[in-house]
Structures are given as C-alpha cells and as structure tokens.
Amino acid sequence: MTNKSNVLIIDGMALLFRGFFATAFTGNFMVNSKGIPRNGLFGFLNYFCNAIETFQPTHVICCWDMGSQTFRNDLYKGYKSNRDAPPEELVPQFDLAKDIVSAFQVPNVGIVGYEADDCIGTLAKQLQADHQVTVVTGDQDLLQLVDQQINIAIMKKGQGNYDVFNIDNFYEKRGLTPAQIIELKGLMGDSSDNYPGIKGVGEKTALKLLQQYETIDNMLADKDNLTKGMQNKLDQYAEDLEISRKLAEIYTEVPLTFSIEDALWNKDHSSIHTFLLEDLEFKNPERWLGKLQMAK
C-alpha cells in the first residue's frame, strides 16, 4: 500500500475537441440565451468528471495549447499546416473551458510557444519521483512519456473507457518501448501533424526495423546491410528523417513555474455550481457534480 499522491494531468485540448465533435455533426451546438455554443463544454465536463471519478486523484492539473505557433513551426515550416481553423462555434468555448477548470480550483497550464503535450511531459517528469502520475488524453504521441510512476490513459470510444499504458504492460501492447515511439514516428512521419518521415515507410516496416535495431542510429550505423531499396530511401530522405524525429519528441523542459500544492483536488464545488448554473446556463449541474462526491 502506498501513500503517494495520485496526480491526474488532463489534456484539455483532447477533451474539448472530442466533446465538441461528438455532438457537432448533429448541428446541436447547445446555444444558451447569450448566444454562446456549449456543446463542447458539455462534452468536456462529461470527460473531465469521468476521469476524476475513474482515477480518484489527490491532485488535478489541466494543460492547454496556447495558440497554433510553437517552436516546432520554426523547425519545420509545414508543421500542422494541413489543419483547418477550428469551427467558429468552438472558438468561444476554449476560454470558457478554462474558466470551468478554474472554477473547479484546478490549475490551467499552458505556455506560448509550446504545445500542451510539452507541458504535460514537463510536469509528468517533474512530478514522477514523488507522485503517481496519470495522463488522460486521446493523443497516442504521449505514449512516449510512459515510465516508472507515469501512466498514460488513452480515451477510447464511449465515455469512461480508457486504454491505460504503464511501464509493465507497454511492450506487450505496442511491441516497442516508450522511447521507441519517437523513433517510430521519425521513420513513419505523421500525416495529422504534417511531417514526412521516410516516404514509403509505414508502421509495419518501421516496427520491424526498430525491433531489429532498437534505434534509428543503430540502423544507420548498419545501413550497408539493409536492402538497396532501404539504403536509397535513407539517403534520399535523410533530412526528413532527422527533422521528423525532432518533431516527434515531446519537449520535457518547458519553463513552467508550478506548485503541486495549487493542484490539490478540492471537493468544495460551490463556485463551479454557480458558474455552470448562472453563467453557462446548464440546468442540472448535479449531473456532473454528483459524481464527484466520491472522488477523494
């Protein structure tokens, strides 16, 4: 039995986007009397409260992107350039989601120039020595953070379903180590983030190479023993491979000023009750707050 605290780090962007698109396809934006859409906030609250109910944290933190431009755009001009602007109905819900988090007395963490993933990685690494850390996200990129005392809970279809990765089950689930996720994406690239990897190398080939060589550097050192086709690809796409590996790696030294005491989970929900009822005009805040009475 351990007395260590259990810190829950929530990927706010993942929860809000998931909440929005789960209902937006029906055209139901849940607009209140002030003309503000709330469908993303409704979904966010569902996922946020379910995560706390499921993982029973002692401390909670929520991380956010702070604009679309980060240091990765300086590394590679095309980074995420294939993404559309967020839907206009979602835009006002970004700040309101952060207001919800603040009303729960949970810290919102985000630094301009870095992604939420980088803030999550920095916090997880800072806290792992003294705390059990669980990250709730839909982003498979964060699997590279799995370590002693750091678990990644990937949200699955349907509320309350998580695929939890830890240091003991990771290789069985993925056939790789957490660090090799970076190498995998370096080889494959990432179409959603719009960076190239090695053209023509998919997941199957990348997995095979990493299971044989462990790292890209080991593979490059033995390049002469690869097939001629692979040798040619490595020569032709050497620059793409190097930049893709850099883009894939979560930066874990973001200059955060953070105190874990600020993240202590507080069961006094009077302020959030008022905010949900009066400001956002949700008629039944107890649908969420009632579930949290069991969260320690």
Side-chain angles (χ1 to χ4, degrees):
M1 193 73 180
T2 179
N3 291 320
K4 281 192 175 180
S5 52
N6 176 18
V7 180
L8 181 66
I9 303 179
I10 290 175
D11 181 348
M13 304 303 293
L15 271 63
L16 183 60
F17 271 88
R18 184 175 287 239
F20 177 83
F21 286 111
T23 52
F25 73 95
T26 67
N28 177 20
F29 297 114
M30 299 177 67
V31 177
N32 67 9
S33 68
K34 301 167 190 171
I36 299 171
R38 299 169 300 161
N39 65 313
L41 303 176
F42 185 89
F44 178 86
L45 278 158
N46 285 341
Y47 297 129
F48 181 92
C49 294
N50 180 267
I52 292 167
E53 184 184 16
T54 300
F55 296 104
Q56 297 283 299
T58 56
H59 299 74
V60 184
I61 309 162
C62 194
C63 291
W64 301 91
D65 290 341
M66 301 294 286
S68 60
Q69 296 297 304
T70 71
F71 72 93
R72 290 182 180 84
N73 298 99
D74 296 328
L75 287 173
Y76 185 68
K77 190 175 180 180
Y79 183 69
K80 291 189 177 180
S81 64
N82 58 334
R83 297 197 181 184
D84 295 330
E88 61 178 298
E89 294 86 0
L90 177 57
V91 172
Q93 299 184 67
F94 284 114
D95 286 341
L96 288 170
K98 293 174 190 171
D99 290 342
I100 287 172
V101 172
S102 295
F104 271 114
Q105 302 174 58
V106 167
N108 287 300
V109 175
I111 300 286
V112 173
Y114 300 94
E115 295 183 32
D117 288 5
D118 302 313
C119 295
I120 291 168
T122 298
L123 288 169
K125 294 296 183 184
Q126 285 179 357
L127 296 171
Q128 74 179 120
D130 299 314
H131 311 274
Q132 175 66 49
V133 177
T134 300
V135 177
V136 169
T137 183
D139 187 352
Q140 300 271 340
D141 294 353
L142 286 162
L143 292 176
Q144 65 186 264
L145 297 174
V146 168
D147 200 352
Q148 297 292 343
Q149 298 282 108
I150 300 176
N151 297 343
I152 305 294
I154 300 291
M155 302 167 70
K156 297 174 71 177
K157 190 173 182 179
Q159 188 183 314
N161 295 325
Y162 304 92
D163 193 1
V164 181
F165 291 80
N166 58 47
I167 200 67
D168 296 320
N169 68 19
F170 195 90
Y171 193 86
E172 180 186 346
K173 284 175 175 279
R174 291 304 303 262
L176 297 170
T177 66
Q180 285 178 307
I181 296 294
I182 302 167
E183 309 282 277
L184 182 74
K185 293 193 66 179
L187 290 166
M188 291 172 51
D190 188 319
S191 58
S192 67
D193 286 344
N194 199 44
Y195 60 84
I198 299 175
K199 190 173 182 180
V201 172
E203 185 170 10
K204 187 175 178 181
T205 300
L207 275 170
K208 185 178 178 182
L209 288 168
L210 289 172
Q211 286 166 350
Q212 181 178 353
Y213 288 106
E214 293 188 1
T215 68
I216 289 170
D217 289 339
N218 288 346
M219 180 188 70
L220 293 173
D222 195 44
K223 187 169 76 168
D224 290 347
N225 289 318
L226 295 170
T227 65
K228 282 293 182 187
M230 184 56 68
Q231 288 181 46
N232 290 337
K233 285 180 184 295
L234 290 173
D235 290 337
Q236 184 176 357
Y237 300 110
E239 190 175 331
D240 288 342
L241 173 61
E242 187 58 30
I243 196 67
S244 295
R245 188 159 45 157
K246 287 179 181 176
L247 293 169
E249 184 170 8
I250 290 172
Y251 183 71
T252 59
E253 295 182 14
V254 177
L256 295 172
T257 53
F258 179 80
S259 170
I260 189 62
E261 286 76 20
D262 293 338
L264 189 66
W265 175 244
N266 191 332
K267 287 180 69 174
D268 176 10
H269 298 142
S270 54
S271 59
I272 185 67
H273 188 282
T274 302
F275 183 69
L276 295 178
L277 190 66
E278 296 182 4
D279 291 70
L280 295 182
E281 300 177 17
F282 283 121
K283 292 181 180 177
N284 182 22
E286 292 306 318
R287 77 163 62 235
W288 300 292
L289 304 184
K291 296 178 181 179
L292 297 181
Q293 296 310 309
M294 298 298 293
K296 295 180 175 59

